[in-house]
Structure formats: structure tokens, C-alpha cells
Amino acid sequence: MALVEVGTFLCGEKNEPVWLPSFYIDVFPVTNNDYARFVAATGHEPPQHWYRGKCPEVILDHPVVFVTWHDASAYAAWAGKELPTAQQWEKAARGTRGDAYPWGNNATPAKCNSRESGIGSTTPVSRYHSGVSPYGVYDLCGSTWEWCSTRSEPGRYELKAGAWTSPFARATPAVFNDASTEMLDDDTGFRCAALATVMGTLFDS
């Protein structure tokens, strides 16, 4: 996980200042390999695209998809973490200066896996080295939409990142998107976060 230190950042499409306490966020989205350990440990239903309940080896290092918000939340709880808030996620992506993208302000589709890449699927979570955020966090643009813990309205939660199915314009971290908690698709995954105070307690125990 990467530490995002306490302080103010510029949030949303209007770049409004928002203060957040320190928190940690996963450097990579939760992979199929990560999720397989969760499934094995808990008996949780595996994603529908796994053959006979087992993930194909060729996508073990790809972000897990076909997970609902409830699936993502269950994994986070099992891991002793939680889903990031939309504001935590956005700060991890944009840094404190209000940059449009994790890598700065230049619109560079080649730095992420969006529709323009032409790949047509998810990619290994460590592929886009030039697209990391100021905190060293990967895939905060493209590859998969990521569930957040911020509720937009009853039964719906925010999503961030854009996806391999999305045009690059939708991959801007400040863009709003949400979905029903029951939605699951081949372009939707998640990562976990935890307040620094919580992680400190875990490290000390």
C-alpha cells in the first residue's frame, strides 16, 4: 500500500479544496490472484468468468472483474481494509496540485488502458509504469472502473478510473460515475484503502 499524507487537495471538476486525514491505498487494483486467495479462504462465490471456479493463469495478474459492490466490500473486510472513499481515491490519483491525470496535465492515452489502446481487455496491473500517480499508485486511469465506498444515492455507489471499454475522456479521475450495488461487468473491479491510524494499529499488533 502507498501512504497518502494528511492535507488538502484539489477535488472534483471544479478543483475545490478538500482536507483528508492520512490514509493508505493499494498500489495495484485487487488482482484475480488476490481474489482467489479470498475465495479459497472464505468460500465466496468466484467471478463468473473463471472456468469452473478457477481463474485462468494468463490473467492472474490482471484486475479482478465481474464483482459487485458487495463482493468488493466483502473482500476489503476480509483483508482488514475498506473500499476507498471517492475523495481518497481521487487524491491518490491527482496528488495535491489538482493535476488532471495521475502523470500530470497532458492528455496522453498511451499511459493507460482505455478504449483508444485497442487492447480490448484488462491488462496486467503493473504494465503502465509511466502512468503512475504522485504516490506511485498504478491504474488510476483506465483498465477497470473501481468501486468506492461513497454512496451517491440509495443502492448506488461511486466508481472511479474509467476502463478498457471507456473512451479516454471518461478516464479523468475527477469525472463522476456511479452504479447499482448489484452491477457486475467485465470492466469493473476495485482496490482497498485504510486510514493511517487503522494501519498503524495493525502494524503494532
Side-chain angles (χ1 to χ4, degrees), residues 51-198:
Y51 182 67
R52 294 183 178 177
K54 184 177 181 180
C55 179
E57 289 193 13
V58 293
I59 58 169
L60 281 173
D61 61 349
H62 287 224
V64 66
V65 293
F66 286 114
V67 285
T68 67
W69 183 87
H70 298 291
D71 293 328
S73 294
Y75 175 97
W78 170 78
K81 306 176 189 179
E82 57 192 5
L83 297 180
T85 67
Q87 290 182 342
Q88 287 175 331
W89 193 102
E90 189 176 334
K91 184 175 182 179
R94 302 179 65 193
T96 59
R97 300 178 303 176
D99 289 343
Y101 304 99
W103 55 83
N105 287 310
N106 293 327
T108 315
K111 291 182 180 290
C112 69
N113 180 11
S114 61
R115 186 187 297 170
E116 284 83 352
S117 71
I119 295 171
S121 68
T122 58
T123 41
V125 295
S126 61
R127 173 169 176 164
Y128 289 94
H129 300 292
S130 64
V132 299
S133 82
Y135 302 100
V137 181
Y138 282 69
D139 277 0
L140 292 167
C141 278
S143 197
T144 65
W145 289 104
E146 296 185 10
W147 286 114
C148 295
S149 64
T150 302
R151 189 174 73 164
S152 54
E153 59 182 87
R156 299 182 69 86
Y157 283 81
E158 289 197 38
L159 295 162
K160 289 287 191 180
W164 62 269
T165 56
S166 311
F168 178 71
R170 292 286 289 158
T172 307
V175 167
F176 174 82
N177 190 22
D178 70 347
S180 164
T181 56
E182 304 302 325
M183 188 275 292
L184 74 168
D185 213 335
D186 61 354
D187 66 354
T188 305
F190 66 101
R191 75 180 71 219
C192 300
L195 288 174
T197 52
V198 174

Side-chain angles (χ1 to χ4, degrees), residues 19-56:
W19 182 91
L20 292 177
S22 299
F23 65 93
Y24 286 88
I25 192 164
D26 288 346
V27 170
F28 302 112
V30 172
T31 64
N32 285 295
N33 196 37
D34 297 329
Y35 203 78
R37 290 193 289 270
F38 163 64
V39 169
T42 66
H44 197 89
E45 185 73 18
Q48 65 186 50
H49 65 302
W50 290 9
Y51 182 67
R52 294 183 178 177
K54 184 177 181 180
C55 179

